[in-house]
């Protein structure tokens, strides 16, 4: 069944399964997938690579400018090349998790990354595009035709994040308790910041995936998207 191409905004807390689910949904629809968290993570990695202070807002803004000009995102944001160096293995470390959440609270950096996200989505919208993040339905594409808010309880999200860490090229290892604490802190930081906080858009459909398998979640998302693309 072909599905009319639209922009779909998917938001939700860390570890809610957004990236793996969205990637699979896009594979079924043959749409583009844009993981916006990878941009915030990319800025954090560039800051580390350049030896910048992760506590200095000025350093982080400078890192964002270098990222915007020189970074090369590949493989739906899973790969990062900067100045010919492959920095992929730093994208999912716990240091990058924490730094990206701090970076996401800096207004100047959000201003730098906002047009990049919109331009990337507009460049491929003819085919259909699904973006995931924290503020897609509220700030990046407030007029998106379809908005989905993916959630799951904290314990389930921590379990999923552990699996993701194990299967990624990350350079550090964390235990379940540590992962759960990190997620809780990131939820708090992402949801309480003054600018573009993690928030369900009023017109978003909430999908709680705590008790759903990955394939059930993919099917539920496809059903929601198709219900929005009926002519
Ligand atoms: O989805 P993620 O965990 O890879 O995102 C990394 C950080 O970036 C996360 O702490 C929240 C932030 N982020 C954001 O503020 N807005 C977005 N659209 C995407 C991510």
């Amino acid at each position: 069944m072909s599905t009319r191409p639209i922009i779909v905004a998917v938001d939700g807390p860390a570890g809610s399964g957004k990236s793996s689910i969205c990637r699979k949904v896009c594979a079924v629809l043959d749409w583009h997938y844009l993981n916006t968290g990878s941009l915030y993570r990319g800025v954090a990695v560039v800051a580390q690579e350049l030896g910048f202070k992760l506590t200095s807002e000025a350093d982080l803004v400078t890192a964002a400018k270098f990222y915007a000009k020189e970074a090369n995102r590949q493989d739906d944001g899973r790969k990062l090349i900067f100045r010919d160096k492959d920095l992929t293995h730093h994208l999912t470390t716990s240091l990058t998790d924490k730094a990206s959440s701090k970076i996401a609270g800096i207004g100047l950096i959000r201003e730098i990354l906002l047009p990049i996200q919109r331009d990337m989505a507009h460049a491929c919208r003819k085919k259909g595009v699904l973006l995931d993040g924290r503020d897609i339905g509220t700030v990046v594409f407030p007029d998106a035709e379809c908005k989905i808010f993916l959630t799951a309880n904290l314990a389930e999200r921590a379990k999923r994040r552990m699996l993701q860490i194990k299967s990624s090229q990350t350079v550090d290892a964390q235990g379940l308790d540590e992962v759960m604490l990190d997620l809780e802190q990131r939820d708090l930081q992402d949801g309480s910041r003054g600018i573009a906080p993690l928030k369900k858009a009023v017109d978003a459909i909430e999908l709680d995936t705590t008790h759903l398998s990955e394939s059930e979640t993919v099917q539920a998302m496809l059903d929601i998207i198709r219900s929005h693309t009926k002519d």
Side-chain angles (χ1 to χ4, degrees):
M1 192 203 322
S2 80
T3 307
R4 182 170 58 84
I6 58 170
I7 289 181
V8 176
V10 180
D11 291 302
S16 54
K18 296 186 302 294
S19 56
S20 47
I21 300 291
C22 291
R23 202 167 272 124
K24 291 201 162 134
V25 167
C26 286
V28 173
L29 296 173
D30 192 24
W31 281 13
H32 289 282
Y33 167 52
L34 180 49
N35 174 334
T36 65
S38 67
L39 278 77
Y40 294 89
R41 287 176 181 276
V43 173
V45 173
V46 165
Q48 292 167 64
E49 170 66 13
L50 297 176
F52 287 177
K53 278 203 196 90
L54 298 179
T55 47
S56 159
E57 213 168 291
D59 274 14
L60 293 172
V61 171
T62 307
K65 289 179 183 162
F66 282 126
Y67 173 85
K69 265 200 195 143
E70 299 178 60
N72 182 355
R73 270 177 88 259
Q74 297 177 2
D75 194 16
D76 296 337
R78 276 179 291 196
K79 198 166 173 188
L80 175 66
I81 310 290
F82 181 72
R83 297 183 182 167
D84 291 330
K85 200 165 164 189
D86 188 345
L87 301 177
T88 304
H89 51 294
H90 290 291
L91 277 172
T92 48
T93 63
S94 57
L95 181 60
T96 299
D97 282 356
K98 290 185 191 110
S100 61
S101 184
K102 179 182 161 58
I103 281 165
I106 301 173
L108 276 174
I109 297 185
R110 297 199 81 88
E111 276 174 31
I112 292 168
L113 299 183
L114 182 60
I116 299 177
Q117 295 167 70
R118 287 185 177 149
D119 288 352
M120 284 166 95
H122 281 305
C124 53
R125 70 178 301 168
K126 272 198 184 137
K127 196 173 173 186
V129 59
L130 194 154
L131 296 91
D132 77 0
R134 305 294 188 287
D135 63 338
I136 309 301
T138 51
V139 176
V140 182
F141 283 108
D143 297 330
E145 278 180 75
C146 175
K147 299 181 187 177
I148 300 171
F149 193 80
L150 266 193
T151 59
N153 71 26
L154 182 63
E156 183 59 31
R157 288 190 285 122
K159 261 202 284 179
R160 293 177 190 171
R161 177 79 182 119
M162 277 298 286
L163 289 175
Q164 198 187 16
I165 289 170
K166 281 186 190 151
S167 67
S168 70
Q169 293 183 42
T170 196
V171 289
D172 65 356
Q174 287 180 292
L176 186 62
D177 289 350
E178 207 185 333
V179 167
M180 203 180 297
L181 195 69
D182 277 3
L183 280 180
E184 210 170 7
Q185 283 169 351
R186 272 211 293 152
D187 283 353
L188 191 71
Q189 190 156 311
D190 293 338
S192 63
R193 62 177 180 236
I195 171 166
L198 165 68
K199 199 166 70 182
K200 176 180 169 295
V202 283
D203 49 350
I205 293 176
E206 183 162 335
L207 186 57
D208 186 334
T209 70
T210 307
H211 303 293
L212 295 184
S213 67
E214 192 171 80
S215 58
E216 286 170 333
T217 308
V218 169
Q219 191 54 53
M221 292 254 299
L222 286 168
D223 291 345
I224 294 171
I225 293 169
R226 285 179 175 141
S227 74
H228 284 75
T229 58
K230 280 197 191 116
D231 288 319

